[in-house]
């Protein structure tokens, strides 16, 4: 099982070609049983490349709003994604792959 995290506050953001190449390389190299794309509040990146990506993944909605960890506030969007990533792997197992690394 492979997990991708797409946390955004921009509902118009498009999925990019290089992220799609990454996704295709996961399919070919890892050959996972399932690829989950965890999207923030049901908003997955769209556009031409997003439409292709959605055919390869199972989308889940990340609805938890991470505001703190161990009593420390989290303000940076990327840091919130880090916490969600750790929670996802802890709960479901599998591996996490950055969607922008080829």
């Amino acid at each position: 099982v492979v997990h991708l995290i797409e946390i955004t506050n921009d509902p118009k953001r498009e999925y990019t070609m290089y992220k799609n190449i990454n996704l295709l390389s996961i399919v070919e190299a890892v050959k996972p049983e399932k690829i989950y794309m965890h999207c923030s509040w049901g908003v997955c990146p769209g556009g031409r490349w997003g439409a292709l990506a959605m055919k390869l993944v199972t989308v889940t909605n990340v609805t938890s709003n991470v505001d703190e960890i161990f009593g420390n506030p989290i303000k940076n969007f990327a840091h919130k994604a880090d916490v969600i990533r750790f929670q996802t792997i802890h709960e479901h197992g599998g591996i996490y792959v950055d969607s922008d690394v080829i």
Side-chain angles (χ1 to χ4, degrees), residues 12-26:
K12 295 181 182 175
R13 191 177 80 180
E14 292 193 8
Y15 208 64
T16 60
M17 182 179 71
Y18 69 85
K19 286 186 176 188
N20 230 41
I21 292 170
N22 171 286
L23 182 57
L24 292 172
S25 70
I26 291 168

Side-chain angles (χ1 to χ4, degrees), residues 16-89:
T16 60
M17 182 179 71
Y18 69 85
K19 286 186 176 188
N20 230 41
I21 292 170
N22 171 286
L23 182 57
L24 292 172
S25 70
I26 291 168
V27 169
E28 287 297 314
V30 179
K31 297 182 182 8
E33 290 179 23
K34 200 158 222 169
I35 301 172
Y36 289 99
M37 183 178 290
H38 305 277
C39 299
S40 54
W41 301 277
V43 179
C44 285
R48 172 183 172 192
W49 298 109
L52 290 171
M54 294 305 119
K55 295 177 182 178
L56 300 173
V57 302
T58 299
V59 175
T60 68
N61 295 325
V62 176
T63 55
S64 103
N65 190 10
V66 179
D67 293 322
E68 67 172 41
I69 186 165
F70 305 119
N72 298 304
I74 302 174
K75 297 178 183 170
N76 184 300
F77 220 57
H79 296 164
K80 290 182 181 199
D82 289 339
V83 173
I84 291 168
R85 177 182 314 125
F86 295 132
Q87 289 173 337
T88 299
I89 296 300

